[in-house]
Amino acid sequence: MKVAIAILLWALMMGTTSAAVYKCTDSGGKIEFSDSPCAQTSEPMVLHYDAGDPKAGALQTQVAMGQVTIGMTASQVRQAWGEPDGIKTSKKKNGAREEWSYRRDGQSQKVTLVNGEVTEVSKQTSSSASKSSAKNAAKTEKTSTAKKNTGKADERRFVREGMTTAEVRARIGAPDSRESGTCRERTMVNSKKQLKTTRDLCDNCWVYEPAEGDPQTRTQVCFQNGQVSSIERKVVR
């Protein structure tokens, strides 16, 4: 039926300036468009065409088929989808902006209009669902990392200076957190025969919290130029 309507409308665009299309609504609220009155509740829609403007005619064809696309006017959107469930208005540098929200086919859809013309049509995902999904993903990743580190906790005592970050990760897993720290302290006698302490700063340090296999021990592994420069293990209670 939609294909037949599109062909009919194209023919009308070439020869006349207007045509009647019927918006049909069945008992379940489903909307369809036809070139003749429907057995269900029908609403006549008169669509006007400019024979010299193919783009306008194409938009009206989409309106008749219940589609919304960029370039349509607010009136055409209403003809295609009806009144929006909600409208948000704001003012931008490029003019007045409106966001029309619809609930169609079980999904939330948004139509953005700037100065009365559609500039974007998009489907929306529930923000609460997105947050819940992200939270669950983070929880799963954290649990997975914890299990991985627990299984390799007894390997922490075998980490040595000179290992690369890749070697450390392969041996004892990803760290629980990261922080800055001092790689090592050196005390030297300077030219004036005075003791002088210097501290080498690390690029970063990986921290492994106490876990089964390494109980009550917090391990800090610091790196400099991509290699282990110091390892510090502290008993915590």
Side-chain angles (χ1 to χ4, degrees), residues 74-142:
S75 176
Q76 289 173 324
V77 175
R78 284 190 168 94
Q79 288 183 67
W81 284 3
E83 286 296 326
D85 299 318
I87 298 178
K88 291 183 180 181
T89 59
S90 59
K91 289 185 178 181
K92 302 294 182 181
K93 291 183 180 180
N94 55 347
R97 176 188 174 93
E98 294 184 349
E99 291 184 359
W100 293 12
S101 58
Y102 288 89
R103 186 71 181 176
R104 294 173 55 82
D105 300 325
Q107 290 186 317
S108 296
Q109 299 195 49
K110 181 180 70 174
V111 180
T112 302
L113 300 95
V114 176
N115 295 328
E117 182 175 307
V118 177
T119 59
E120 181 183 355
V121 181
S122 60
K123 295 180 181 179
Q124 294 176 286
T125 302
S126 171
S127 58
S128 59
S130 297
K131 289 180 181 179
S132 177
S133 177
K135 185 176 181 180
N136 290 337
K139 184 177 180 180
T140 300
E141 183 179 357
K142 184 176 181 180

Side-chain angles (χ1 to χ4, degrees), residues 5-125:
I5 295 174
I7 295 173
L8 172 65
L9 293 177
W10 179 257
L12 289 168
M13 282 171 18
M14 300 303 294
T16 63
T17 58
S18 65
V21 173
Y22 294 87
K23 181 179 180 181
C24 308
T25 307
D26 63 18
S27 58
K30 184 178 179 180
I31 297 175
E32 291 187 351
F33 296 85
S34 174
D35 55 339
S36 59
C38 319
Q40 313 98 320
T41 303
S42 61
E43 175 187 347
M45 301 169 60
V46 179
L47 306 179
H48 299 280
Y49 304 96
D50 182 352
D53 188 351
K55 180 181 178 181
L59 289 177
Q60 287 296 78
T61 300
Q62 289 180 299
V63 168
M65 296 177 69
Q67 299 175 354
V68 172
T69 188
I70 294 173
M72 284 185 175
T73 64
S75 176
Q76 289 173 324
V77 175
R78 284 190 168 94
Q79 288 183 67
W81 284 3
E83 286 296 326
D85 299 318
I87 298 178
K88 291 183 180 181
T89 59
S90 59
K91 289 185 178 181
K92 302 294 182 181
K93 291 183 180 180
N94 55 347
R97 176 188 174 93
E98 294 184 349
E99 291 184 359
W100 293 12
S101 58
Y102 288 89
R103 186 71 181 176
R104 294 173 55 82
D105 300 325
Q107 290 186 317
S108 296
Q109 299 195 49
K110 181 180 70 174
V111 180
T112 302
L113 300 95
V114 176
N115 295 328
E117 182 175 307
V118 177
T119 59
E120 181 183 355
V121 181
S122 60
K123 295 180 181 179
Q124 294 176 286
T125 302

